[in-house]
Each structure stands twice: as structure tokens, then as C-alpha cells.
Amino acid sequence: ARRQLMMSVPPSRGCLLDLPWEDILVPHVLCHLPLQQLLSLQRVSKSFQSLIQLFLANMRCFDSSKIGPAIPRAAFVNLMKDNEVLHQLVLQDCSDWLTDRELLPVIGQNHHLQQIQLKGCAQLSRHALVAISLSCPNLRRLSLAHCEWVDSLALRSLADHCKALEAVDLTACRQLKDDAICYLAQKCGKLKSVSLAVNANVGDGAVEEIAKCCPELEHLDLTGCLRVKNDSIRVLAEYCPKLRSLKVKHCHNVAESSLSILRGRGVELDVEPPLQRALVLLQDVVGFAPFINLQI
């Protein structure tokens, strides 16, 4: 009878919330859940709401793509209001709702940011970049691709204050000209990756200054920079021994005579050598790959 009684009593179960929050739940459990699920979890009870708020306050990385670009601006403000320890902030393609009003308080209270991604955030202004430069001295990686509000003065502020910068994406930042890029290169000599793609104002001056001031350079994207010519590519080959990839597609003034130096060093290029291009074109015309004795 006693055995039957014991079997009829359900075993006591501890609650998830009984585990240590800061030592167990936040660093070892909640970090594995998608942000969208965390937002849903905080609606379970007031205790769960407090737990999720603790997690958000200690979150090192915020990536809006894990929620979706249509996140309400009020939700973003609420999520970020208590966080002062962010290392990575990814807000790409949030042009529908992200303005200086939402971003500047987050930047102002997070001085440990090392990576910021603002690609396509078209409603921001130059004040956002100035705020980043003043608040984020440890910044390593910054993407401002397709942010046409980036101007020379704001970029100079970045160069003056973020000298540890290693990667910057300025794709389609059409206000920028050679002088601003040169200033950035002079101040940020640790740059390893630079994109100046789709900017008709960028020419040889900017490329040569990057080459001479940034000996650690590994990746350079000059796609569509129509003013770039052979001379600056030769300077790049001379001053950047660590260069691993170079994009010069649609740079019509860059020829094989300068690229061959880099090609011989094993640098990855996004344009094929002339003979290879000719073979591809011939194959398209005749419908098969011709046999050519390359030893002739």
C-alpha cells in the first residue's frame, strides 16, 4: 500500500527560473534561443519578463535580421534601453524605421562597440557617424554601404577617433571623394579591408594613399570606380604585400598590364586574364571549348 501511495504522488519538479539567472540562464541557456523566441518568452509571466530584460541588458550582440527588418521602432528602443555592453550592432536594411532618434542613444551608452553594420540605413544622417566616432574608440569593423548621407566631414571625424579600424565598407557612399578617403587612410593605418565600390568620385589618389598608408591591407573592392587607372594598381602591388583579393570589375581603365603583377602573386581578382576571357567568348560563339596548344 505504501509503495502504491508513493507511486501516486508526482515527483516535485524545480522551475526553470529556480536556476541562477546570471550564472546559468543568461550565459548558457538564453544565448542559444533566437531573439524572436525570447521576445515571446517574456510574455509568459512577470518573472520571465524580468529574466529577459536581464538578458537584453547583458547582450553583447544585437542583430536585427534575427527579428526581421520590420521590427517596430518602439520595440527596438525598449530592447536596447538598458544595454551598455554591446560589442556588435547589426542593423542593416532598417531604412523603414531607423533614424538618428533611435540610434544615437544606443551608440551613446555603448562605448565597447567593435562592429557596427548600418548597410542600407538610408534615414540616418551624418550625426550618426559623428556619434559613432565619439563614442566607439574600440571600433574595428564598420559598414556604411549604400548610406549616401555619409559626407567628408563625418568620415574625417571617424578617422580622427577610431584609429583601430580594420574594415570599412563605403560602397555607394557617393558624397565621398579622394581627399576624404586619403585622410581616412592616413589616420587608420591598420585597415585590412576596404570597399569603395560604386563610387565614380574615387580615383587613383585614394587608391595610392590607401596602398602607402595601410601595409596590412588584405581586401580592396574598387568595383565600378571608373576613375581608377593602372598607375594606382601598380602602387598597390608595390606597397601591399599582404593583399589577398582585389575587385576591379567595371574599372575600364584598369588593364592586364597592371593586374598581371598581382595575379602572379596569387592575389584573387574578379576579372579573368585576357586569354581566358577570349576562350569563354569563343566558346559562347561556337558552342564548344576549342583546343589550344598553350606551348606554341
Side-chain angles (χ1 to χ4, degrees):
R2 184 181 178 186
R3 178 181 176 86
Q4 290 178 346
L5 178 62
M6 292 179 62
M7 292 179 63
S8 65
V9 177
S12 60
R13 294 183 179 180
C15 175
L16 176 67
L17 296 175
D18 292 338
L19 294 172
W21 287 15
E22 294 190 25
D23 295 331
I24 301 296
L25 291 182
V26 170
H28 298 295
V29 178
L30 298 186
C31 63
H32 296 292
L33 296 179
L35 196 53
Q36 188 68 52
Q37 291 185 11
L38 291 174
L39 298 181
S40 300
L41 190 61
Q42 70 177 345
R43 296 195 291 267
V44 172
S45 68
K46 289 185 178 180
S47 295
F48 271 106
Q49 183 181 23
S50 298
L51 173 61
I52 300 306
Q53 287 177 345
L54 177 65
F55 172 80
L56 294 172
N58 289 277
M59 186 168 51
R60 300 296 181 93
C61 173
F62 179 84
D63 187 345
S64 64
S65 66
K66 295 180 179 179
I67 305 176
I71 173 178
R73 58 165 52 91
F76 172 75
V77 172
N78 186 56
L79 290 172
M80 294 287 96
K81 64 180 181 179
D82 298 322
N83 193 303
E84 298 180 359
V85 295
L86 276 180
H87 283 196
Q88 183 178 356
L89 180 62
V90 180
L91 293 169
Q92 67 179 34
D93 299 320
C94 294
S95 58
D96 290 342
W97 61 270
L98 184 66
T99 68
D100 289 357
R101 185 175 180 178
E102 292 77 40
L103 181 64
L104 264 57
V106 177
I107 297 298
Q109 67 191 32
N110 281 281
H111 304 293
H112 304 289
L113 277 164
Q114 297 181 10
Q115 180 175 346
I116 300 177
Q117 165 70 270
L118 297 174
K119 177 183 177 182
C121 293
Q123 289 196 61
L124 298 175
S125 76
R126 62 182 305 274
H127 298 295
L129 185 53
V130 173
I132 289 171
S133 66
L134 296 177
S135 298
C136 308
N138 300 315
L139 193 65
R140 299 289 189 274
R141 306 181 67 85
L142 175 63
S143 174
L144 300 168
H146 302 282
C147 293
E148 297 196 18
W149 45 266
V150 176
D151 62 14
S152 297
L153 287 176
L155 192 70
R156 286 173 177 265
S157 178
L158 179 75
D160 284 333
H161 296 94
C162 299
K163 297 180 180 179
L165 203 61
E166 295 179 358
V168 61
D169 187 347
L170 300 172
T171 298
C173 292
R174 303 177 196 275
Q175 289 195 58
L176 300 179
K177 298 181 180 180
D178 277 7
D179 57 344
I181 304 300
C182 289
Y183 192 84
L184 177 70
Q186 292 163 5
K187 296 290 185 176
C188 301
K190 296 181 180 180
L191 282 169
K192 296 180 179 180
S193 177
V194 179
S195 176
L196 304 173
V198 199
N199 192 333
N201 294 318
V202 171
D204 285 343
V207 177
E208 291 180 10
E209 201 67 18
I210 290 174
K212 294 177 180 178
C213 297
C214 306
E216 303 296 316
L217 189 69
E218 297 178 2
H219 307 283
L220 180 60
D221 189 347
L222 301 173
T223 303
C225 294
L226 303 178
R227 294 178 57 235
V228 173
K229 302 180 180 66
N230 283 323
D231 289 344
S232 61
I233 301 301
R234 293 192 182 97
V235 173
L236 196 66
E238 179 180 356
Y239 284 89
C240 297
K242 297 183 179 181
L243 191 67
R244 294 166 52 191
S245 71
L246 173 66
K247 294 183 178 181
V248 288
K249 190 173 287 186
H250 307 304
C251 295
H252 304 304
N253 293 312
V254 175
E256 184 63 23
S257 58
S258 60
L259 293 177
S260 60
I261 305 171
L262 295 170
R263 205 184 298 280
R265 258 174 35 196
V267 175
E268 179 183 344
L269 302 174
D270 64 342
V271 293
E272 300 292 343
L275 177 58
Q276 183 119 8
R277 287 202 299 271
L279 289 175
V280 171
L281 291 173
L282 184 58
Q283 181 178 356
D284 290 341
V285 172
V286 301
F288 64 91
F291 173 79
I292 295 180
N293 187 350
L294 298 179
Q295 295 181 346
I296 294 178

